[in-house]
Amino acid sequence: MSKLDAKIPEGPLAEKWAKYKATQKLVSPNNRKKLDIIVVGTGIAGSPAAASLAEMGYNVKVFCFQDSARRAHSVAAQGGINASRNNKNDGDSVYRLFYDMIKGGDYRAREANVYRAAEVSSDIIDQLTAQGVPFAREYGGTLANRTFGGVQVSRTNYAQGQTGQQVLLGGYSALKRQVALGKATMYSRQQMLDIVVIDGKARGIITRNLITGEIERHAAHAVVLATGGYGTIYYLSTLAVQSNGSAAMAAYRKGAFFGNPSFIQIHPTCIPVLNEYQSKLTLMSESLRNDGRIWVPKAEGDKRKPKDIPDEERDYFLERRYPAFGNLVPRDVASRAAKERCDNGFGVGKTGLAVYLDFRDALAKQGKKVIKGKYGNLFAMYEKITGEVPYETPMMIYPAGHYTMGGLWVDYNLQTTIPGLFAIGEANFSEHGANRLGASALMQGAGDGYFIAPYTVSNYLADEISTKVPSTDSQEFIEAEKDAKAVLDKFLNIKGTQTATSFHKRLGQIMWTHSGMQRNEEGLKKALMEIADLKKEFWSDLIIPGTANEINQELEKASRVADFIDLAILIVNDALNRKESCGAHFREESRTEGGEAMRIDDKYSFVAAWEYQGIDKEPKLHKEDLKFENVEVKVRSYK
Amino acid sequence: MKIKLNIWKQANAKAKGKFEKYELDGVDAEMSFLEMLDSLNEKLIKEGKEPVAYEHDCHEAICGCCSLYINGHPHGPGKETATCQVHMRSFKDGDTITVEPWRAKSFPVLKDLMTDRNAFDKLMSAGGFVSIDAGQAPDANANLVGKIDADKAFDAAACIGCGACVAACKNSSATLFVAAKVSQLALLPQGKVEAKRRALNMVAKMDELGFGSCTNTGACEAECPKGIGIDFIAKLNREYLCASFSESE
Amino acid sequence: MSKFFTSSIGQKFFMSITGVFLMLFLMVHLTINSLLLFGDGTLFNEAANFMSGNPLMKVIEPVLALGFILHIIYAGYITLKNQMARPQKYKVAIKAKASWASKNMYILGGLVLIFLVIHLANFFWKIKFGTVPIISYDGGQTELHDVYGLVAGVFKVWWWYDALYIAGAIFLFLHLTHGFWSAFQTIGWDNEKWVSRLKVIAYIYATIVAGGFAFIPLYFLIKYIV
């Protein structure tokens, strides 16, 4: 019997969450101060969760590897945050948002969780506004909205092209307030190395102080992971260069199941790879597709300047293939369409791996001032990186690794298969199924942090009120620390010749080639072999200067890359196992005659949750069957 | 192209640092400054030498990690640019580039080019927030916010907390940082309620943390990667003076 | 309120209001001095004697002195504290775009102060405590100090005084180009639009004041030499 119990409350979909809240176990205010909670990660899920739990009266310890909680990579989200407020009187509702997410996720998400995310979406905007987040407003003073891909309503709230920053800073400021009040304690520049499990429950973490190198033990009644996604597995991605999957891997090794690891979103609008030294790819917000038109020349290898190519010789391929949604098709669809054009020789730019995103028509219609108001900072960023001016010549874009729908498997409580260990935001396998719609990441992360985890963590802690905080001198802590130290020593003692970054680059290449936008059995099997070779080489030829007792950025990188290698194996295994195409996971073997992705619902309508079985052992697959009682499962079409 | 680098090296917070000279060949004009440093580090590691420690993360000029003082400019050449967006096309073959950490009493050096900017977090804890718990918020459209105010508040809120303002100021003053936060929240009805308290507390904290005072040179505005203007400093002064003359402590 | 006097913005506030006060004084001073340029000195002497004989001056004089002293003390204190905020200097000096004057207000202020001491010794001291010849324009009914004669004497005999006064005016000009705008900025009387406007007004004001003060010695030099 599988351990997978999603613990979805009984009752009609729309009443589940209300019923949960009404009947859940509570912790009285005077007991909350006796309970300690560790939150790892301070992004758009972590900071709000930490702040909200501290506001309730729990003692919260917050960890991040950056120097400040404000630097988490949620800060880079650009376009917006969805909310089903129906501000535009265009037919939006909680159900519509729920439906869009289920459909956008290609029917691979859990109905109850998705509905709840849609339900709290409106509260998030209220909360953030109250915190002083300067959302864009109409002249009349009400919230302004924009449209995002994959939907037919305008429900995205935004703050120019820096919505993530503003939303993150809202949570950060709430956290800083709790720090000032003494309810939250901030531990920055701390890398989480392991999770301590005592009697089957998560009771603490082991961290490395990145300044002194000291290994620290921290105990609590519950641990919340808000450690984000692992898109940097591709080395070149839209993520920050330090974003990593290590916390999730630590949890996985301690017994938390990993859900749908191969569901990785490839974002269609990124600045293409410009040179071999590049260490990261820059996202150009999806909101640009509201006004920008995507095209390539109709003639193969047309090397004329874009301005010189007349309209009738341009192939607006998204508008051609998907007339109903046009340039605003979901990300996975847009990415594959661009790849298809480039693979067939119609790509533009030096490498031929780029398509145009053209604002000519929008500029002519709306004027430079309006366009600048909407996308000014994005245009400026593009110009800084490429040296080209998007007001004059079209942008060149290409898909890049972006968001991971996969993550730690959690139940309705956002609890992993380790009791007391919660995973929120992008770190969990989440509400996005096999593909995430634009402006839903901030929504889901913030929703988990502000309005879901505070309830579900309380529900768990209600049974812990008489438990004392475990001693950090217990055997489990001592052992976890010993293990963590042993790994670090192992890295340092290899004394080989290749840097961690060079291994990361190679791993990224393997993953991008075989487990990127399109996958097939042969490639995936090849990837497994290549990764195994790389792993061997890594553990025998890694070089790290310096020691473990000081600031050592190379050591930090090495431990991240080591985890990425193991995670890559897990991803490829998951991709191999899922022989259907769904959302971002496109198996070449499973497509329609028109070349579109083909789901196989009778075989793969489940969440793949992988259980760790030991070093270099095949993980064990558990299936959580997905039931769709409130939507009709259809072929996802944006035509 | 070939460049010469003059980089501050310091083993740890207590050690005495000095400038170290490096030469790097084969630098591509299309490389970003950080990628150039990466390739220097790659080379140093392979030669068995200590790499240069520096901070960077998002490479999109939004996280505020990067903090290099390049040839006399925080974040190097270019207007409204963070270090991660500086490309080597801004330099010429044979150039000598001097790279220093942010220098300020309140930002002590941790290692090489890494500084401790925790003082900004402390400033935020002193009042850079609205005192509202999750669950208490009224409807976001209940308090209307004029577009002009909302846009202006956003301009202030765009601060990435990198500390270039402090690094560029001859007085190592954090006034622009404080001004941005105080102005953002004072411009919005949600933040107005505790605007006075905020201005008083944040300024007191800024003084306590050892930052210098503002002498209106405007260097901070000139170097701010987000182009935050010193008119917000005037706004802070206004808020602070009004609060000082009216708020009983 | 008690914290106000020790806070960075509070201290700057005093710099600012004493500065505004001193700028007002400069305008009055220049207005009276400009009378030197008209006629044979009668007008100036009458005005100068009216001012010094005015009982109001007994109040204004110490207030003015206090304004100077506060401005100088706060400047010294703030500068010292600001120096301490960066114990380790940069190897490459900050190249951020900022006016030279704004970065060197303390030096400019110091130079203006040195000039002020000389200036006070030249005129104020002599008028107040020294022997300035008596002159009368109405046949001895009212006796006036011949301040005009004193001024004209200094400027036409010693050319280096002229040079010194012109230099002083230049220092003052630079000090005011930043000081004028800065004062408004510090008291919060500034916004996006007024930043540039106030900077222009600052230049106009500084040009009038410094130009006026520089023109007077030149006037005498030209008048008596040519």
Side-chain angles (χ1 to χ4, degrees), chain C residues 18 43 86 92 94 103 110 116 136 144 148 163 165 169 214 218:
Chain C
T18 52
L43 211 54
R86 177 166 292 139
V92 181
I94 298 168
K103 289 185 285 184
L116 182 69
S136 179
L144 304 173
Y148 181 85
Y165 272 73
L218 276 176

Coordinates of all heavy atoms in Angstrom, one line a residue, chain C residues 18 43 86 92 94 103 110 116 136 144 148 163 165 169 214 218:
Chain C
T18 N 20.3 78.3 9.4 CA 21.3 79.4 9.6 C 21.8 79.8 8.2 O 22.1 81.0 8.0 CB 22.5 78.9 10.4 OG1 22.9 77.6 9.9 CG2 22.0 78.6 11.9
L43 N 25.4 109.0 0.0 CA 24.4 108.0 0.1 C 24.8 106.8 1.0 O 24.1 106.4 1.9 CB 24.0 107.5 -1.3 CG 22.5 107.1 -1.5 CD1 21.6 108.3 -1.1 CD2 22.4 106.8 -3.0
R86 N 33.6 56.6 6.9 CA 34.3 55.8 6.0 C 35.8 55.8 6.4 O 36.6 56.6 6.0 CB 34.2 56.4 4.6 CG 35.1 55.6 3.6 CD 34.7 55.9 2.1 NE 33.4 55.5 1.8 CZ 32.5 56.1 1.0 NH1 32.8 57.3 0.6 NH2 31.3 55.6 0.8
V92 N 40.7 54.4 -5.8 CA 40.3 55.3 -6.8 C 39.2 56.2 -6.3 O 38.1 55.7 -5.9 CB 39.7 54.5 -8.0 CG1 39.3 55.4 -9.2 CG2 40.7 53.5 -8.5
I94 N 36.0 58.6 -5.7 CA 34.6 58.5 -6.2 C 34.5 59.4 -7.4 O 34.8 60.6 -7.3 CB 33.6 58.8 -5.1 CG1 33.7 57.9 -4.0 CG2 32.2 58.9 -5.7 CD1 32.9 58.3 -2.7
K103 N 30.9 68.8 -3.1 CA 31.8 67.8 -2.4 C 32.8 68.5 -1.5 O 33.5 67.9 -0.7 CB 32.5 67.0 -3.5 CG 31.6 66.0 -4.2 CD 32.3 65.1 -5.1 CE 32.8 65.8 -6.3 NZ 33.4 64.9 -7.3
G110 N 35.6 77.0 4.9 CA 36.8 77.4 5.6 C 37.4 78.7 5.0 O 37.8 79.6 5.7
L116 N 36.4 86.1 5.9 CA 35.5 86.9 6.8 C 36.3 87.5 7.9 O 36.0 88.7 8.2 CB 34.4 85.9 7.3 CG 33.4 86.5 8.3 CD1 32.5 87.4 7.5 CD2 32.6 85.4 9.0
S136 N 30.7 115.3 7.7 CA 29.4 115.9 7.9 C 28.9 116.5 6.6 O 29.7 117.1 5.9 CB 29.3 116.9 9.0 OG 28.0 117.4 9.1
L144 N 28.9 112.1 10.7 CA 28.9 110.7 10.3 C 30.3 110.1 10.2 O 31.2 110.8 9.9 CB 28.2 110.6 8.9 CG 26.8 111.1 8.7 CD1 26.4 111.1 7.3 CD2 25.8 110.4 9.6
Y148 N 32.7 105.4 3.7 CA 33.0 105.4 2.3 C 34.5 105.6 2.1 O 35.1 104.9 1.3 CB 32.2 106.5 1.6 CG 32.4 106.5 0.1 CD1 31.7 105.7 -0.7 CD2 33.3 107.4 -0.5 CE1 31.9 105.8 -2.1 CE2 33.5 107.5 -1.8 CZ 32.8 106.6 -2.7 OH 33.0 106.7 -4.0
A163 N 42.4 91.9 -4.9 CA 42.5 90.5 -5.3 C 41.9 89.6 -4.3 O 41.1 88.7 -4.6 CB 44.0 90.2 -5.5
Y165 N 39.5 90.3 -2.1 CA 38.1 90.4 -2.1 C 37.4 89.7 -3.3 O 36.4 89.1 -3.1 CB 37.6 91.9 -2.0 CG 37.6 92.3 -0.6 CD1 38.8 92.5 0.2 CD2 36.4 92.5 0.1 CE1 38.7 92.9 1.5 CE2 36.3 92.9 1.4 CZ 37.5 93.1 2.1 OH 37.4 93.4 3.4
A169 N 35.0 86.6 -3.0 CA 33.7 86.5 -3.7 C 33.5 85.2 -4.5 O 32.5 84.6 -4.6 CB 33.5 87.7 -4.7
A214 N 32.2 91.3 -5.8 CA 33.4 91.4 -6.5 C 33.5 92.7 -7.3 O 34.6 93.2 -7.6 CB 33.6 90.2 -7.5
L218 N 36.6 96.2 -7.7 CA 37.0 96.4 -9.1 C 36.6 97.9 -9.5 O 37.4 98.6 -10.1 CB 36.3 95.5 -10.0 CG 36.9 94.1 -10.2 CD1 36.1 93.2 -11.1 CD2 38.3 94.3 -10.9

